Amino acid sequence: DQQVKQNSPSLSVQEGRISILNCDYTNSMFDYFLWYKKYPAEGPTFLISISSIKDKNEDGRFTVFLNKSAKHLSLHIVPSQPGDSAVYFCAARDQGGSEKLVFGKGTKLTVNP
Amino acid sequence: ETGVTQTPRHLVMGMTNKKSLKCEQHLGHNAMYWYKQSAKKPLELMFVYNFKEQTENNSVPSRFSPECPNSSHLFLHLHTLQPEDSALYLCASSQASGSQGYSNQPQHFGDGTRLSIL
């Protein structure tokens, strides 16, 4: 049973507009959440993270929002650029375990010029 | 350019072969990980090494045998694999906390080894 779900396999956005990628989780013991970006033939690259004690973290064009009551987090990219086109993975860490991360299946973002 | 290097990038082997995947990290981290990514599935954690000690084995079959000789190197020894083991194998490293608390540090990934079992 998937503990981290990314229900949208793909998302297409126009350059300059906002991209919103969503992630839902079921395990209330998750205390640290991350977003990774992956280009073809490369490994996942860390993008941004958020601790469960916060509800927002911002880094340049990227903002992650966490809604613990809804067990939902989202990644906002604004403005979107064609170079942002990649697969985005949401991941979560269980505070009761080791440094183990649980990943979602990913959302493929396409930013059109 | 990644601080985590995996070799080989591609590997084709028969079911009776023995091969090894290698991972090296240049980030000064103390924890290393093996993940498996099969088609249309999320990344699955296989093994965790923290300060060279294995702290997690995610019910991985014994035909996969990890080895961590030091905090910079991680190997995955493969023996008598099955066709369903064909996948992308990713190595990662992080700066994990040595105490009971956890460091909020991300894991950094290599580019993976694409493994095909004939």
Side-chain angles (χ1 to χ4, degrees):
Chain A
D1 188 28
Q2 269 193 276
Q3 298 185 70
V4 177
K5 297 179 183 179
Q6 294 177 255
N7 292 319
S8 299
S10 62
L11 174 67
S12 186
V13 170
Q14 209 60 31
E15 180 178 7
R17 305 295 291 269
I18 185 171
S19 295
I20 300 177
L21 297 114
N22 293 302
C23 179
D24 297 296
Y25 62 95
T26 57
N27 189 341
S28 58
M29 296 294 285
F30 287 150
D31 68 338
Y32 179 54
F33 303 88
L34 308 91
W35 284 95
Y36 284 85
K37 178 171 73 173
K38 186 179 184 302
Y39 293 118
E42 294 184 12
T45 302
F46 169 70
L47 201 54
I48 192 169
S49 63
I50 187 167
S51 164
S52 60
I53 62 173
K54 295 186 174 182
D55 55 18
K56 177 182 174 182
N57 188 25
E58 193 171 352
D59 183 4
R61 297 186 296 115
F62 303 92
T63 303
V64 56
F65 295 92
L66 176 62
N67 182 334
K68 281 197 298 182
S69 60
K71 294 191 177 67
H72 177 83
L73 69 157
S74 61
L75 174 68
H76 292 211
I77 307 172
V78 57
S80 301
Q81 300 173 354
D84 296 328
S85 297
V87 178
Y88 289 78
F89 294 97
C90 170
R93 184 187 68 194
D94 185 342
Q95 66 176 344
S98 63
E99 298 280 341
K100 175 180 177 177
L101 292 182
V102 180
F103 282 81
K105 286 187 177 181
T107 297
K108 183 176 182 181
L109 173 66
T110 302
V111 181
N112 300 303
Chain B
E1 187 175 335
T2 178
V4 180
T5 305
Q6 289 188 244
T7 54
R9 291 295 310 276
H10 302 272
L11 179 61
V12 180
M13 56 186 285
M15 291 167 57
T16 57
N17 291 157
K18 288 185 183 180
K19 295 285 184 183
S20 296
L21 309 185
K22 179 183 176 182
C23 176
E24 183 174 1
Q25 59 97 0
H26 311 275
L27 300 170
H29 291 161
N30 55 21
M32 297 187 77
Y33 313 79
W34 279 116
Y35 285 87
K36 175 184 178 183
Q37 186 175 29
S38 304
K40 299 184 180 179
K41 287 188 178 180
L43 272 77
E44 299 173 73
L45 180 70
M46 300 175 73
F47 302 102
V48 179
Y49 277 83
N50 202 329
F51 294 96
K52 298 187 297 177
E53 298 296 323
Q54 188 181 125
T55 57
E56 182 99 17
N57 177 336
N58 204 24
S59 303
V60 181
S62 59
R63 58 185 182 269
F64 295 91
S65 174
E67 178 189 1
C68 188
N70 55 61
S71 57
S72 298
H73 293 86
L74 185 65
F75 296 90
L76 188 62
H77 304 299
L78 315 172
H79 175 51
T80 321
L81 295 194
Q82 304 298 310
E84 62 265 27
D85 296 323
S86 297
L88 179 68
Y89 289 84
L90 288 159
C91 172
S93 70
S94 72
Q95 188 59 31
S97 171
S99 64
Q100 295 208 348
Y102 298 102
S103 65
N104 284 350
Q105 296 296 320
Q107 294 176 19
H108 295 264
F109 285 83
D111 287 336
T113 296
R114 175 69 63 184
L115 177 65
S116 298
I117 306 300
L118 301 178

